[in-house]
Amino acid sequence: MFASPHRPRRLRRSPLMRDLVRENRLHLDEFIYPLFIDETLTNNPRPLGSMPGILRHSLQSLLAELEELEQLKVRNLLLFGIPKEKDALASGAYDDNGIVQQALRTIKEHYGNRFQLTTDVCNCEYTDHGHCGILKNEDVDNDPTLELLAKTAVSHARAGADIIAPSDMMDGRVGAIRDALDDAGFENLPIMAYSAKFASAFYGPFREAADSTPSFGDRRSYQMDPANGREALKEVQLDLAEGADIVMVKPALAYLDLVWQIKQSVDVPVAVYNVSGEYSMIKGAAANGWINERQAVLETLTSFKRAGADIIISYHTKDLARWMMEES
Ligand code: PBG
């Protein structure tokens, strides 16, 4: 009878042994939790039907959320705003009194630097047509859009942002934002670029959350084709050449091959965005009793680390923090 001298099972025999040889672990410091702040809300937060457990906050209800997050030791936040009014030029995005700017000031006022605040810089939540830039003949006009993005980034910086994260996928936006930040005296503020951002069906629930569904067409003339991997590496190289400090792959799950490849080819931190649709699929299946939520989430998040992610943006962060508290 054949007896293999190779017995990998030796290292799987007990919990302590498995802990000893585990290659990848999750640490809360590497996670960023997204928050939605809605200028039309005055008091109570509004639950999001398509993202169970996630709320749209008013500036007031945001404070209660922050208290909970601080207790859970979630310290990195990604801010999205839903403005009261939208227009063709996304004025609310770069208004120094816009909703994200107000949220930044509120958080810094109450918590100082106990939270590290990243802001998503994009126009789609602020345009009345829902596209990520200024339109010209139903097409997003690249270069004039760069000016709006740069103004938005500087306005966020002035209000207290710690990291600027452009998510629009215009050509040249990292360079334009870097220049504008430097000119305004923010040469020390890092840029986390949504470098390889794909035109994905997995953003569906987010668009309800942020009220940013395009009123016509789709985003395929600026976000990437899911079929393209080499092009993702090119986008990453361009963003680095323009001064990105951190690069990102988004969505995460269907693009782990690219996380791995990018990790091998760059020497800056690599972030992944575990997007709304990825979150809602697990939440939905778990609510139906079809999968074990905790196990499915931990397996998913660990796969990002295994693929090479240094930073994970995820709506599961709060649940993860609770589970970590329970265990400790
Ligand atoms: C804004 C933006 C989007 C997401 C992050 N920033 C939506 C989009 O591009 O349509 C998606 C996040 C998610 O689905 O969780 N451009």
Side-chain angles (χ1 to χ4, degrees):
M1 204 179 39
F2 175 69
S4 174
H6 304 290
R7 294 185 184 273
R9 287 184 59 193
R10 285 181 195 124
L11 301 185
R12 294 179 205 141
R13 286 173 57 83
S14 72
L16 278 181
M17 185 64 82
R18 291 192 292 272
D19 283 350
L20 182 69
V21 300
R22 181 156 299 126
E23 296 176 34
N24 291 286
R25 289 189 158 78
L26 302 176
H27 200 294
L28 214 45
D29 290 347
E30 302 167 325
F31 279 80
I32 303 180
Y33 185 59
L35 284 179
F36 300 98
I37 303 108
D38 183 341
E39 198 175 16
T40 69
L41 298 177
T42 45
N43 211 327
N44 291 336
R46 209 185 99 188
L48 294 165
S50 59
M51 298 180 73
I54 307 293
L55 303 165
R56 274 199 203 184
H57 281 289
S58 66
L59 281 170
Q60 199 187 3
S61 69
L62 175 64
L63 292 173
E65 172 90 58
L66 293 170
E67 206 176 297
E68 196 186 347
L69 290 169
E70 185 166 53
Q71 276 169 17
L72 288 168
K73 299 193 165 58
V74 174
R75 287 186 284 240
N76 277 286
L77 306 175
L78 173 61
L79 304 184
F80 291 96
I82 298 107
K84 217 181 260 167
E85 277 164 39
K86 305 186 184 223
D87 60 30
L89 293 177
S91 311
Y94 42 88
D95 179 348
D96 286 337
N97 224 1
I99 182 63
V100 168
Q101 289 83 348
Q102 289 184 55
L104 285 164
R105 284 195 292 265
T106 303
I107 301 173
K108 288 296 176 192
E109 212 170 276
H110 286 83
Y111 288 89
N113 285 330
R114 303 213 297 282
F115 288 105
Q116 182 159 249
L117 306 178
T118 302
T119 57
D120 182 276
V121 170
C122 193
N123 293 306
C124 62
E125 296 111 87
Y126 302 89
T127 51
D128 48 14
H129 46 71
H131 278 286
C132 300
I134 299 177
L135 291 185
K136 188 171 151 195
N137 307 325
E138 303 223 327
D139 184 34
V140 174
D141 201 0
N142 197 88
D143 296 4
T145 297
L146 298 183
E147 279 173 46
L148 306 191
L149 295 166
K151 275 204 283 191
T152 304
V154 171
S155 172
H156 288 178
R158 290 204 175 108
D162 298 300
I163 301 176
I164 298 293
S167 71
D168 53 284
M169 286 304 277
M170 296 301 118
D171 295 330
R173 90 271 206 217
V174 172
I177 289 173
R178 185 71 272 159
D179 274 359
L181 288 174
D182 290 358
D183 286 349
F186 294 104
E187 63 279 349
N188 289 323
L189 207 60
I191 296 176
M192 175 164 71
Y194 287 71
S195 301
K197 175 170 176 180
F198 290 86
S200 172
F202 293 104
Y203 307 150
F206 173 94
R207 293 186 185 165
E208 180 200 325
D211 225 343
S212 64
T213 310
S215 59
F216 66 90
D218 52 44
R219 302 206 203 289
R220 283 184 289 186
S221 81
Y222 39 105
Q223 298 180 349
M224 289 185 57
D225 181 343
N228 294 358
R230 251 189 332 183
E231 192 186 343
L233 295 173
K234 174 179 169 178
E235 285 282 7
V236 164
Q237 289 308 330
L238 290 173
D239 284 357
L240 289 175
E242 290 174 28
D245 301 283
I246 300 171
V247 295
M248 193 199 301
V249 177
K250 177 184 172 193
L253 268 182
Y255 301 88
L256 291 185
D257 56 326
L258 297 177
V259 177
W260 173 258
Q261 281 186 62
I262 290 167
K263 179 63 178 228
Q264 307 308 309
S265 72
V266 304
D267 53 11
V268 298
V270 177
V272 290
Y273 199 139
N274 177 211
V275 300
S276 57
E278 298 171 334
Y279 172 85
S280 299
M281 282 195 300
I282 291 184
K283 283 282 178 184
N288 277 294
W290 296 336
I291 51 170
N292 177 313
E293 177 176 347
R294 184 167 169 165
Q295 285 173 14
V297 169
L298 294 176
E299 186 174 331
T300 300
L301 298 176
T302 304
S303 78
F304 303 149
K305 295 278 311 222
R306 205 186 57 242
D310 300 292
I311 298 168
I312 299 169
I313 303 170
S314 177
Y315 303 98
H316 295 295
T317 302
K318 230 167 111 178
D319 289 330
L320 175 69
R322 281 195 203 101
W323 298 330
M324 285 178 165
M325 287 259 167
E326 280 168 28
E327 273 169 23
S328 64

